[in-house]
């Protein structure tokens, strides 16, 4: 996944606010990327762009050698399904569906795993230690369990890129640690994990740290950063 | 290409379905809207059917009054026209007479081509015969089955002055057949007789009359103009007994169409407002489907099926309630003979219109709204 000369800005009260200003970055597999920035820096917009939910004003986004600017709606949907898994701070679980069915909805459009759906869901739930909660509804789950259901939903179609928007923002320290360990493990097992956060404590899990500030994405020295904030 | 299987769509609907306050509110709104539409369409249809029957089938609408009296030669020439069924001397339309076996009867002349049993001294009475003068107060109980009185001989009498038994007209008639008076838009007390017998009564009542009015009976109301022009060519003035004001009918039709269009637009707005409000609340859920890789049409299907089930339930309830209302109205109506000619029916057209309002409208609205949500560039997740 690669951003080339990416530009994105908003207009607020007649003033242009630059979210991405000529950003160039490449995200590789087997790596955990942490993007930090203050509230309002545009971290969520960046995740939306990388997750193909928003578009760049200018520049290119290349995913698996395909420039997304050249893709039509159907191809974009297919790319979202096959390449991207999104994890949100607020989980966005369907309150009318139990944990298992919340994961199931992500598989209904994936013909490749149609026959193994049930098996794969149970495997993922077991891996994330929530199998015993499969028949529970979101309101019956703890914050950590809800986030793990959200992770299972993001992983079920085996995407190459995991995009996480403040995944620990609503969790206590113990659950936050569990989630970060899961994400770290995913990056070690071939996924590219890109996480945006304003919580510097998470930097110990990252392979690369970037700071988003006034539209510029600047790479931080991990060691210096760890010394300063851990 | 990603296509969601219909089986999965149904499964998702089953797992996802809700039947809470909001859904019940939507259902009630839909039933009220559909029921109101159904009533408006039924009433509209009934009024137009009534007008249509009146103009097409009424004997008066097919009868031309001709002035001055046509000569014998002209009468013979006119009779050659295929649309002219009869030409007879007749100044009044009907007489109210009293009968020995029944109460009051209205006698009016009819054409023997239409009623071939009609010979001299014979009467054809309604199948649902009500021999009473005042028809506004009659009920079902007053009906005499016309078939039961066939071959009955009745003596009719007519007096010029009240209770004048010495100077009254009396004649015996035989009821030879029955006819469907509703078809000809005639009251249940109207018996038909031949022109000869009718003129006999007329000559008794107006012995000194020098009226030379002739009545010309046309085969179909649509040929009235053609026959009128023919009479013009012969130098006679003619006018139909029942003049149809087509301008008023067209005006009424336009008004009805305008009201119906306004009504359907209001319905559209109401359904749109309701669905929009609901889908706005589900915006995050819709965008979540998008983030998982669902195509626009799959997301539309998911929400359309949710509403379609509610709409189908609403349609079912409406059809059921409409039939119940129809049965109640018709039961009440059947007790009052004066409403007999005003038929309220439930037809295929109505089912189609309700289907459009109940199914097509919501589907279009859902499609538009979901497209709008999905195509939003700024997504706050």
């Amino acid at each position: 996944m690669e951003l080339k000369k990416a530009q994105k800005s908003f207009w607020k009260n007649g003033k242009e606010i630059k979210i991405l200003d000529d950003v160039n970055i490449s995200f590789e597999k087997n790596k955990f990327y942490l993007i930090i920035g203050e509230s309002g820096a545009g971290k969520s917009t960046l995740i939306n762009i990388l997750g193909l939910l928003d578009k760049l004003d200018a520049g290119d986004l290349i995913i698996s050698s395909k420039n997304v600017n050249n893709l039509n709606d159907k191809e974009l949907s297919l790319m979202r399904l096959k390449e991207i898994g999104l994890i949100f701070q607020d989980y966005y679980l369907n309150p009318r569906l139990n944990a298992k069915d919340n994961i199931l909805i992500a598989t209904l459009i994936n013909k490749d795993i149609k026959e193994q759906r049930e098996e794969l869901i149970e495997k993922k739930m077991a891996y994330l230690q929530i199998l015993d909660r499969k028949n529970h509804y979101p309101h019956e789950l703890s914050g950590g369990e809800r986030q793990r259901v959200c992770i299972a939903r993001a992983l079920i179609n085996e995407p190459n890129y995991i995009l996480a928007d403040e995944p620990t923002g609503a969790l206590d320290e113990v659950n936050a640690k569990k989630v970060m360990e899961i994400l770290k493990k995913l990056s070690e097992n071939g996924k590219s994990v890109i996480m945006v956060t304003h919580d510097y404590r998470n930097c110990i899990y990252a392979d690369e740290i970037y700071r988003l500030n006034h539209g510029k994405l600047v790479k931080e020295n991990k060691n210096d950063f760890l010394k300063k904030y851990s | 290409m990603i296509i969601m299987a219909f089986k999965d769509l149904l499964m998702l609907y089953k797992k996802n379905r809700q039947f809470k306050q909001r859904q019940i509110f939507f259902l009630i709104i839909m039933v009220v809207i559909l029921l109101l539409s159904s009533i408006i369409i039924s009433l509209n249809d009934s009024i137009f059917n009534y007008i249509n029957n009146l103009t097409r089938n009424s004997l008066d609408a097919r009868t031309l009054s001709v002035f001055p009296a046509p000569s014998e030669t002209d009468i013979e020439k006119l009779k050659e026209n295929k649309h002219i069924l009869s030409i007879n001397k007749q100044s009044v339309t009907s007489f109210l007479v009293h009968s020995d076996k029944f109460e009051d009867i209205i006698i009016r002349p009819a054409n023997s081509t239409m009623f071939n049993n009609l010979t001299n001294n014979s009467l054809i009475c309604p199948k649902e015969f009500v021999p009473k003068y005042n028809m506004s107060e009659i009920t079902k109980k007053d009906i005499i089955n016309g078939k039961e009185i066939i071959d009955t001989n009745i003596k009719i009498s007519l007096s010029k002055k009240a209770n004048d038994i010495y100077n009254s007209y009396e004649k015996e008639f035989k009821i030879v057949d029955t006819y469907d008076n509703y078809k000809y838009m005639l009251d249940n007390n109207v018996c038909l007789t031949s022109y000869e017998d009718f003129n006999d009564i007329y000559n008794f009542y107006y012995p000194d009359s020098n009226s030379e009015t002739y009545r010309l009976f046309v085969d179909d109301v649509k040929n009235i103009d053609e026959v009128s022009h023919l009479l013009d060519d012969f130098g006679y003035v003619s006018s139909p007994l029942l003049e149809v004001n087509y301008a008023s009918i067209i005006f009424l039709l336009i008004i009805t169409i305008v009201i119906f269009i306004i009504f359907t637009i209001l319905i559209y707005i109401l359904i749109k407002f309701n669905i929009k409000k609901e889908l706005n609340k589900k915006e995050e859920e819709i965008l979540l489907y998008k983030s998982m890789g669902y195509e626009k049409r799959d997301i539309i299907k998911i929400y359309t099926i949710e509403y379609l089930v509610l709409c189908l339930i609403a349609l079912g309830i409406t059809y059921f309630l409409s039939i119940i209302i129809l049965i109640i109205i018709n039961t009440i109506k059947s007790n009052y003979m004066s409403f007999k000619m005003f038929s309220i029916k439930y037809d295929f057209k109505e089912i189609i219109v309700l289907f459009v309002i109940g199914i097509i409208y919501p589907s279009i609205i859902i499609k538009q709204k979901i497209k709008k949500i999905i195509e939003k560039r700024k997504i706050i997740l």
Side-chain angles (χ1 to χ4, degrees), chain A:
Chain A
M1 186 183 276
E2 195 179 356
L3 275 174
K4 281 183 181 172
K5 292 184 177 177
Q7 303 231 15
K8 180 79 182 173
S9 56
F10 292 124
W11 287 88
K12 200 176 177 186
N13 302 326
K15 204 179 154 192
E16 189 184 17
I17 299 167
K18 289 200 168 178
I19 303 294
L20 298 176
D21 186 9
D22 206 23
V23 169
N24 292 290
I25 186 170
S26 179
F27 301 104
E28 289 162 22
K29 286 175 187 174
N30 283 306
K31 271 194 176 175
F32 192 132
Y33 295 89
L34 196 78
I35 297 166
I36 53 169
E38 300 305 315
S39 291
K43 301 187 296 293
S44 293
T45 306
L46 176 63
I47 284 289
N48 281 338
I49 289 168
L50 298 176
L52 310 176
L53 298 173
D54 205 346
K55 285 178 180 170
L56 289 170
D57 294 339
D60 298 311
L61 170 62
I62 317 260
I63 299 175
S64 300
S65 313
K66 282 179 188 165
N67 189 333
V68 300
N69 289 345
N70 303 329
L71 302 180
N72 61 29
D73 278 356
K74 282 179 185 175
E75 289 165 334
L76 281 173
S77 294
L78 190 65
M79 189 162 269
R80 278 186 211 111
L81 173 77
K82 300 278 182 188
E83 301 287 347
I84 291 154
L86 274 157
I87 300 166
F88 311 99
Q89 180 180 351
D90 294 324
Y91 327 121
Y92 295 114
L93 297 178
N94 187 330
R96 302 181 296 279
L97 302 178
N98 64 28
K100 192 181 164 189
D101 292 336
N102 261 293
I103 303 165
L104 177 80
I105 53 171
T107 66
L108 297 178
I109 44 169
N110 192 350
K111 275 195 284 183
D112 301 343
I113 56 164
K114 200 179 173 187
E115 303 305 319
Q116 316 101 290
R117 265 183 209 160
E118 297 286 317
E119 194 191 327
L120 284 174
I121 292 168
E122 299 219 341
K123 253 187 191 173
K124 279 281 179 272
M125 290 187 98
Y127 172 71
L128 294 162
Q129 294 168 10
I130 43 170
L131 188 59
D132 56 331
R133 312 293 276 164
K134 66 176 181 182
N135 293 323
H136 289 74
Y137 286 84
H139 69 273
E140 297 165 334
L141 302 172
S142 71
E145 286 166 338
R146 278 184 231 176
Q147 192 56 288
R148 276 180 277 159
V149 174
C150 184
I151 294 171
R153 185 180 62 193
L155 294 178
I156 196 70
N157 292 313
E158 292 297 340
N160 292 317
Y161 302 94
I162 304 294
L163 308 177
D165 188 0
E166 303 271 14
T168 57
L171 301 178
D172 57 55
E173 215 164 304
V174 179
N175 277 307
K177 196 178 167 218
K178 270 187 192 174
V179 168
M180 289 310 294
E181 280 166 359
I182 292 165
L183 294 177
K184 179 70 186 165
K185 220 172 179 182
L186 288 171
S187 72
E188 287 165 356
N189 290 332
K191 310 279 180 205
S192 175
V193 177
I194 305 154
M195 174 177 153
V196 298
T197 184
H198 64 270
D199 188 351
Y200 295 170
R201 286 173 300 176
N202 294 323
C203 61
I204 49 165
Y205 299 96
D207 296 315
E208 286 186 23
I209 301 166
Y210 288 85
R211 182 186 292 276
L212 184 64
N213 195 19
H214 299 296
K216 298 287 180 193
L217 201 58
V218 182
K219 191 174 180 181
E220 298 275 347
N221 183 297
K222 195 185 168 188
N223 292 332
D224 294 348
F225 201 83
L226 282 173
K227 269 183 210 165
K228 200 172 170 186
Y229 295 104
S230 62

Side-chain angles (χ1 to χ4, degrees), chain B residues 21 30 33 58 72 85 126 155 159 168 207 215 227 250 259 267 280 295 317 322 342:
Chain B
Q21 215 176 343
M30 284 307 288
I33 284 172
S58 155
E72 286 298 322
L85 297 181
K155 194 186 274 179
S159 304
S168 69
R215 298 280 157 94
V227 174
I250 290 167
I259 290 173
I267 289 172
N280 276 338
E295 275 184 24
I317 295 172
S322 301
F342 191 76

Side-chain angles (χ1 to χ4, degrees), chain B residues 45-59:
Chain B
D45 270 5
S46 303
I47 291 168
F48 278 98
N49 277 342
Y50 180 78
I51 293 171
N52 198 31
N53 270 343
L54 194 69
T55 53
R56 285 190 184 278
N57 301 326
S58 155
L59 291 180

Side-chain angles (χ1 to χ4, degrees), chain B residues 101 131 158 173 188 193 201 222 232 239 258 314 342 360 367 370 381:
Chain B
K101 293 207 170 75
L158 174 72
F173 283 86
N188 297 62
T193 188
I201 302 170
K222 66 179 182 222
D232 277 353
S239 62
V258 169
F342 191 76
I360 311 285
K367 198 173 169 181
I370 289 184
L381 272 175

